[in-house]
Amino acid sequence: MTFNSHAETFAGQTVVEYPSDKPGGTAWRVAYRDDDDHQDELSEEFRAAFEEFVADRGATVEALVIGAWGYAAFRPAPLQQLCDSAPRLPRLRSLFVGDIPFHECEISWMKVGDVSPLITAFPELETLQVRGGEDFGFSPVGSDSLRRLVVQSGGLPASFTTAVLASRFPALTDLELWLGTDEYGGDTTIADLRPLLDGKLFPRLRRLGLRNAENADEIAAAVAQAPVVARLESLDLSMGTLGDQGAAALLAGQPLTHLQELNLAHHYMSEEVAAAVVAALPEVQVDVSDPQEEDEGERYTEVSE
């Protein structure tokens, strides 16, 4: 996937670039883009723009999108500024950090940091979506409010994954992890995911995405036997390298007929096997779009660098 445009919607709201005279009911986007690749501090221009936004809209904003904070491959994300501003953002419920398309900065170059303090700083936060690569971290944390966590990466470290799974999120219904490739730091294994797959975590989880995985066939085989699947409404294994072997494991495993959605888009299944998956689940919305072809025996995730 090439992130060639900014998010148009977030948390069910239209994204509007600040400043704007648009009325409330929007997801505000704050960003400042520069091309200075010799700075390793937060852009003062971004800092000033965000301070202006908080002073102007902070009391009412419910959904916030953070775009470029300068050149994100060198400048650190404004996590501390966000946390420090929490008392002036009392109604914030949905936050997306890293809405940066590829032409501004490749996903695996983005310098973000440990994003878990955002959850502590905003105890009423319901949705957190983060995108990053370099210096991308998470620490175990707890929240009674968080319902949706989306982590987008070209290579998700095992330390990030295990910290998420060590966190206390009793209200979490949606979890989406982009696992990525080993080349870009994606060393999360099936063993790391085992507590999640065994259904021991997040009792309200109904939508699970293990996306963009280099080992998608292995993940599919594990998911086919995973107790957590029985309580899911939506299962998303898209954007990875899923082939006939992984699809066969899904078909031979536990029933998936209770699902509302099964997303397998961007895959390496043959046409016949993809059709067999769709035919086996006539009452399920199955997405087998965007078939890929191997390149000299190699398969590629949709997002890496």
Side-chain angles (χ1 to χ4, degrees):
M1 175 182 291
T2 54
F3 298 108
N4 55 8
S5 61
H6 302 132
E8 296 182 356
T9 62
F10 175 60
Q13 300 184 24
T14 301
V15 175
V16 176
E17 196 85 18
Y18 183 85
S20 170
D21 58 2
K22 294 281 187 179
T26 58
W28 291 108
R29 184 178 188 273
V30 181
Y32 177 80
R33 174 76 172 99
D34 67 31
D35 295 309
D36 190 344
D37 60 359
H38 301 290
Q39 300 296 322
D40 59 2
E41 297 179 353
L42 179 63
S43 163
E44 287 300 323
E45 290 84 358
F46 177 90
R47 189 185 301 277
F50 186 75
E51 178 60 30
E52 177 185 347
F53 166 77
V54 173
D56 182 23
R57 300 282 184 167
T60 60
V61 64
E62 297 181 3
L64 174 61
V65 176
I66 301 297
W69 45 81
Y71 186 51
F74 287 87
R75 297 184 185 271
L79 303 181
Q80 189 60 56
Q81 188 178 16
L82 278 164
C83 291
D84 291 344
S85 301
R88 296 186 292 155
L89 297 164
R91 298 182 62 183
L92 188 66
R93 299 294 181 268
S94 301
L95 175 61
F96 178 8
V97 177
D99 179 33
I100 303 175
F102 84 100
H103 63 269
E104 293 183 6
C105 184
E106 297 283 3
I107 189 171
S108 292
W109 300 359
M110 290 170 58
K111 189 174 182 179
V112 179
D114 188 335
V115 297
S116 57
L118 295 169
I119 296 173
T120 302
F122 296 94
E124 302 301 317
L125 200 66
E126 297 176 359
T127 296
L128 177 62
Q129 182 167 327
V130 290
R131 181 183 297 171
E134 183 182 349
D135 189 28
F136 198 28
F138 202 89
S139 301
V141 68
S143 170
D144 292 327
S145 300
L146 194 69
R147 299 179 182 177
R148 184 168 188 258
L149 177 61
V150 178
V151 182
Q152 300 177 338
S153 179
L156 194 65
S159 58
F160 195 120
T161 302
T162 55
V164 168
L165 301 188
S167 297
R168 187 186 62 83
F169 299 140
L172 195 72
T173 60
D174 296 56
L175 177 61
E176 181 178 318
L177 303 175
W178 293 17
L179 300 173
T181 72
D182 182 69
E183 182 178 0
Y184 291 98
D187 58 356
T188 297
T189 66
I190 296 297
D192 296 322
L193 295 169
R194 184 57 60 191
L196 172 65
L197 297 176
D198 286 348
K200 298 177 180 178
L201 308 175
F202 316 135
R204 296 188 181 182
L205 192 68
R206 296 297 179 267
R207 287 168 287 278
L208 175 61
L210 298 173
R211 310 181 70 189
N212 197 49
E214 187 175 42
N215 60 336
D217 280 345
E218 183 183 2
I219 287 176
V223 164
Q225 307 298 329
V228 70
V229 172
R231 56 184 167 93
L232 297 180
E233 298 172 358
S234 175
L235 176 61
D236 191 338
L237 304 179
S238 65
M239 301 173 59
T241 62
L242 183 75
D244 288 356
Q245 182 179 355
L250 287 175
L251 290 176
Q254 64 187 301
L256 300 176
T257 52
H258 65 287
L259 293 175
Q260 296 176 9
E261 299 174 325
L262 175 62
N263 189 354
L264 305 177
H266 185 279
H267 61 84
Y268 289 82
M269 291 182 287
S270 64
E271 185 175 346
E272 294 77 14
V273 169
V277 174
V278 174
L281 300 169
E283 303 300 321
V284 181
Q285 183 177 333
V286 180
D287 188 346
V288 292
S289 62
D290 196 18
Q292 304 292 306
E293 294 185 3
E294 293 185 358
D295 182 3
E296 297 182 352
E298 296 292 330
R299 299 180 185 180
Y300 298 94
T301 62
E302 193 165 352
V303 174
S304 53
E305 186 177 16

